[in-house]
Amino acid sequence: MTATPATTTGGLRRLPTWPRRYLLTAVIAAWVLVWVFVQGRDTFQLGGAELTPLHLRINEASEVIDNSRNDNPFFLYFVNYVRLFLDEAVTFVQALISRPSFGRPLPVIGWLGVVTVATAAALLWGNLRVAVLTAAGFASFGLLGLWEESMDTLALTLAAVVISLLIGIPLGVWAGVNDRFNRLVTPVLDFMQTMPTFVYLAPLTLFFLIGPASATVATVVYAAPPAIRITAHGIREVRPATLEAGTSLGSTAWQLLGKVRLPLAKRTIIVGVNQTIMAALCMVTIAALIDAPGLGKTVIKALETLDVGSAFNAGLAIVIMAIVLDRVTSAAGRRVEIRYRAGRPRRPGRRRAGIGAVLAGTGVLVYLSHTYVWAAEFPSEANLGPYVRRGVDAATLWVQDNLAAYTGAFKNAVSYGLLNPFEALLTGSPWWLIAAVVLAFAAVLANVRVVLVTAACLALLVVLGLWQDSMVTLASTLVATVLVMVLGVAFGVWMGRSDRVDQLVRPALDAGQTMPPFVYLVPILGLFGATRVTAITAAVVYAAPVAIKLVADGIRGVSPSAVEAATAAGSNTWQLITKVQLPMARSAVTLAAGQGLIYVLAMVVVGGLVGAGALGYDVVAGFSQLQLRGKGLAAGVAIVVLGIMLERITRTAARRADAEAHGAR
């Protein structure tokens, strides 16, 4: 067998495709062999409450920042005003829909008014079906006994979304019309979307303290990138011929923007609004770690006390809110597209009359909710929350009593078969051995530039003094990623080969991607308790949808002629999958592994709340214990460093696989 000639990409000489597998195998074998003789040396082990000199210096710097809030010009004339504005913005929305305000024992708009306004918005921007779903969804918040908490979450989400769109849409328009600005902002957006959501929180509390202001800033940082990116995409997708026609008619650049680009990009911009809302809701629930009000705080308290019933009750409300907001904005986007294709409505007078009737009825019900207690305060006798909690607790006990053998077997298989050996290999290896192995992987899978970035990331992990915890987190992340790819390949191939399976499974995957990460912890906590396996399983469930969809799309993208040729040559189904479809979809599979790994990293860190420990626990401890703040901040940076390193290696490997696949064709 002769080796495939080496290829050159970007000026760097590449290794042929087939030896790379053998090189990786050789690196792993050498790693294990050396580990046998040097295990336990130079591992930089650090106790839970033990601090390095760097952590102590970060604590001192944090104290300096705290002590300068009232005399430093940066705080006096910028940070304090921003914090005050954000606190007031959130408080104002809470005064409208959730909290007693303006001398009243109840909010300005009671439950009936809020349900009516939400339903009217869904009806006017969407359709009747979405309006019914919205009414039922908002009513369920009261039925679950979580009306005030749900409205607090909605208030914080709305405030963050408005600010995100005010920032994101103008920047997106600028990036859409200006190539230089687009090239400048793209790597920044990539970095912001690569970072796990957890790590935004710790540094922001230094400047904005814990509370709604920090939560809003963190949410804006996380939710604005989709608005910028998708708006820019919509602006750039306008056909050049349309722009040339407008220019030939004498339109100025501003007229082209207002009369051509923005109207034609409206459908895409609404998609960006949808993604911004979903990202904001996701971040708002996580921001409960820094005392953000709402359902997230209820979930965290329940997780801390292992109260599965209360956690499920609040998690159900979060899921319902996510589904409602997603369906309303998606329906609005579809409506804009339908109107765009249909042109001017045939009966605008009837449309205006319908809008007037809806607005009049909404005004009446809002007035009633403002005036009468029965329409302002959700009836306590309709509270079904205790029944839901008791039912979930009973189901949890039944599962633990009757399925303990199965859950225990799965837990032991993951722990003893995968996690413990790999964690022992990572945590027991000297730091220099791990560094050599990771650099070797980067060299084989990527290029020289990525090797340099990887070396810098590894050096930072050493400097941060959290090498051991980083290795524990890395072990959990890689084990979970392996499980994600097993599911991704199995279900992705199944979906890619069958339209019927795709139609059945894809809606469930779409629904799974709309749920905030916290929600995944709740049912799995009931199955496995507070263990590392809980965090890993939640990470797998959270990351699997994106991996499955990417693999399925890759399988569908395989040339039908190649499949027909292999079938004509006598290949059976297994040979067709393993010899034709998966090799030709290699770039999609590699991309799925990279995206799955990033999703897993974010979720494994959140799993620090339920026993995952390591960097996730360090971050949470930094929020709750002042003396560990420096360690928590360092852990946040370590998470970012791990994410950058893993993302660069996997993304470059995916590009390389894609280039090789195109070269093979």
Side-chain angles (χ1 to χ4, degrees):
M1 180 177 182
T2 59
T4 305
T7 58
T8 302
T9 305
L12 296 172
R13 190 165 182 80
R14 305 294 192 187
L15 290 167
T17 301
W18 66 264
R20 197 157 46 228
R21 290 175 293 179
Y22 300 113
L23 284 173
L24 294 176
T25 303
V27 169
I28 295 173
W31 177 16
V32 175
L33 182 63
V34 175
W35 171 81
V36 171
F37 297 99
V38 299
Q39 59 179 304
R41 304 178 188 174
D42 302 328
T43 59
F44 294 144
Q45 190 169 357
L46 193 69
E50 190 177 352
L51 303 177
T52 67
L54 176 63
H55 303 158
L56 294 174
R57 285 196 291 271
I58 295 175
N59 281 343
E60 293 171 359
S62 302
E63 292 177 4
V64 171
I65 293 174
D66 287 336
N67 295 331
S68 62
R69 296 186 185 278
N70 297 321
D71 50 30
N72 188 295
F74 177 67
F75 282 95
L76 285 175
Y77 303 111
F78 178 69
V79 173
N80 290 347
Y81 280 106
V82 172
R83 180 163 58 87
L84 180 63
F85 169 76
L86 295 176
D87 281 337
E88 290 296 328
V90 175
T91 301
F92 175 74
V93 182
Q94 287 179 309
L96 290 180
I97 62 175
S98 67
R99 299 290 180 91
S101 55
F102 305 114
R104 292 166 47 88
L106 295 167
V108 174
I109 304 175
W111 74 270
L112 182 61
V114 173
V115 173
T116 304
V117 170
T119 304
L123 182 61
L124 296 176
W125 293 340
N127 51 52
L128 181 60
R129 181 182 300 176
V130 175
V132 172
L133 173 66
T134 302
F138 271 72
S140 69
F141 301 147
L143 294 174
L144 292 172
L146 296 168
W147 178 262
E148 184 174 323
E149 293 87 346
S150 300
M151 292 304 101
D152 282 338
T153 296
L154 183 62
L156 190 54
T157 302
L158 291 177
V161 166
V162 170
I163 297 172
S164 298
L165 295 179
L166 289 176
I167 295 172
I169 290 179
L171 290 179
V173 171
W174 188 9
V177 300
N178 189 301
D179 291 336
R180 180 178 297 178
F181 180 71
N182 186 60
R183 289 194 299 270
L184 178 67
V185 78
T186 297
V188 177
L189 298 178
D190 291 341
F191 177 73
M192 293 169 66
Q193 291 188 294
T194 300
M195 290 172 60
T197 55
F198 223 51
V199 303
Y200 292 130
L201 305 181
L204 289 175
T205 57
L206 273 179
F207 296 96
F208 298 100
L209 302 178
I210 62 171
S214 290
T216 305
V217 174
T219 304
V220 170
V221 171
Y222 184 65
I228 299 172
R229 194 186 294 274
I230 296 175
T231 299
H233 175 72
I235 295 294
R236 289 181 172 274
E237 284 296 299
V238 177
R239 289 180 296 180
T242 306
L243 298 176
E244 291 172 2
T247 303
S248 65
L249 294 174
S251 298
T252 65
W254 284 104
Q255 288 172 330
L256 279 177
L257 179 62
K259 303 291 186 181
V260 180
R261 289 183 185 269
L262 285 176
L264 292 178
K266 186 185 298 183
R267 292 166 293 168
T268 306
I269 292 173
I270 292 178
V271 174
V273 173
N274 171 273
Q275 293 301 302
T276 299
I277 291 174
M278 301 313 297
L281 180 59
C282 170
M283 192 65 195
V284 161
T285 55
I286 294 176
L289 288 167
I290 54 174
D291 204 33
L295 294 167
K297 185 180 291 188
T298 304
V299 174
I300 288 177
K301 289 181 179 178
L303 291 176
E304 289 174 346
T305 58
L306 302 183
D307 185 353
V308 179
S310 296
F312 180 88
N313 195 45
L316 179 61
I318 295 173
V319 171
I320 292 171
M321 185 175 295
I323 292 173
V324 169
L325 295 177
D326 176 64
R327 293 298 181 269
V328 170
T329 50
S330 298
R334 287 193 296 271
R335 183 161 193 152
V336 167
E337 184 172 359
I338 292 171
R339 291 183 62 185
Y340 171 76
R341 292 178 178 177
R344 183 172 297 180
R346 297 180 180 178
R347 298 178 179 178
R350 177 177 294 183
R351 170 69 177 167
R352 294 193 189 98
I355 292 174
V358 171
L359 293 179
T362 301
V364 171
L365 294 178
V366 168
Y367 171 77
L368 292 176
S369 72
H370 177 76
T371 307
Y372 297 100
V373 174
W374 62 268
E377 187 174 14
F378 201 91
S380 58
E381 58 271 15
N383 182 5
L384 303 178
Y387 300 101
V388 173
R389 292 193 292 270
R390 286 198 292 268
V392 171
D393 287 336
T396 301
L397 289 175
W398 183 90
V399 167
Q400 292 173 349
D401 291 339
N402 294 275
L403 302 181
Y406 303 102
T407 57
F410 176 79
K411 187 191 304 182
N412 292 335
V414 173
S415 296
Y416 297 109
L418 291 173
L419 185 57
N420 289 352
F422 197 48
E423 188 175 302
L425 185 62
L426 278 169
T427 58
S429 297
W431 69 269
W432 46 265
L433 178 58
I434 296 292
V437 170
V438 175
L439 290 173
F441 268 74
V444 173
L445 294 173
N447 54 39
V448 175
R449 182 180 301 175
V450 175
V451 170
L452 295 176
V453 172
T454 302
C457 291
L458 292 169
L460 273 174
L461 291 178
V462 174
V463 171
L464 290 168
L466 292 170
W467 181 268
Q468 188 86 352
D469 285 353
S470 298
M471 293 303 101
V472 174
T473 297
L474 181 60
S476 299
T477 300
L478 294 180
V479 168
T481 303
V482 170
L483 297 176
V484 166
M485 289 312 299
V486 170
L487 292 176
V489 171
F491 283 91
V493 170
W494 194 16
M495 289 174 59
R497 291 174 52 84
S498 172
D499 292 336
R500 179 176 298 178
V501 173
D502 187 87
Q503 292 172 356
L504 291 174
V505 177
R506 192 170 290 268
L509 300 180
D510 293 338
Q513 287 189 281
T514 64
M515 290 189 284
F518 268 172
V519 176
Y520 292 96
L521 290 174
V522 177
I524 299 170
L525 180 67
L527 287 174
F528 301 108
T531 65
R532 296 176 302 167
V533 175
T534 299
I536 289 174
T537 307
V540 171
V541 176
Y542 177 60
V546 66
I548 292 171
K549 290 167 73 172
L550 287 171
V551 173
D553 291 341
I555 294 295
R556 286 184 175 277
V558 172
S559 172
S561 59
V563 176
E564 292 172 3
T567 304
S571 298
N572 57 33
T573 301
W574 178 252
Q575 292 172 328
L576 194 63
I577 293 172
T578 58
K579 303 295 185 182
V580 179
Q581 291 179 309
L582 279 177
M584 296 188 71
R586 182 175 52 194
S587 60
V589 175
T590 308
L591 179 61
Q595 291 298 303
L597 193 149
I598 297 300
Y599 274 68
V600 163
L601 179 61
M603 192 63 190
V604 164
V605 173
V606 173
L609 293 169
V610 291
L615 293 178
Y617 174 80
D618 292 335
V619 174
V620 175
F623 293 142
S624 57
Q625 302 178 50
L626 191 62
Q627 69 273 17
L628 296 180
R629 185 194 293 188
K631 190 174 184 179
L633 289 169
V637 177
I639 294 167
V640 175
V641 170
L642 272 179
I644 292 173
M645 182 177 71
L646 295 173
E647 190 269 341
R648 289 293 182 273
I649 294 174
T650 54
R651 186 171 65 175
T652 307
R655 288 177 178 173
R656 187 170 175 177
D658 189 50
E660 290 173 350
H662 282 86
R665 293 169 193 167

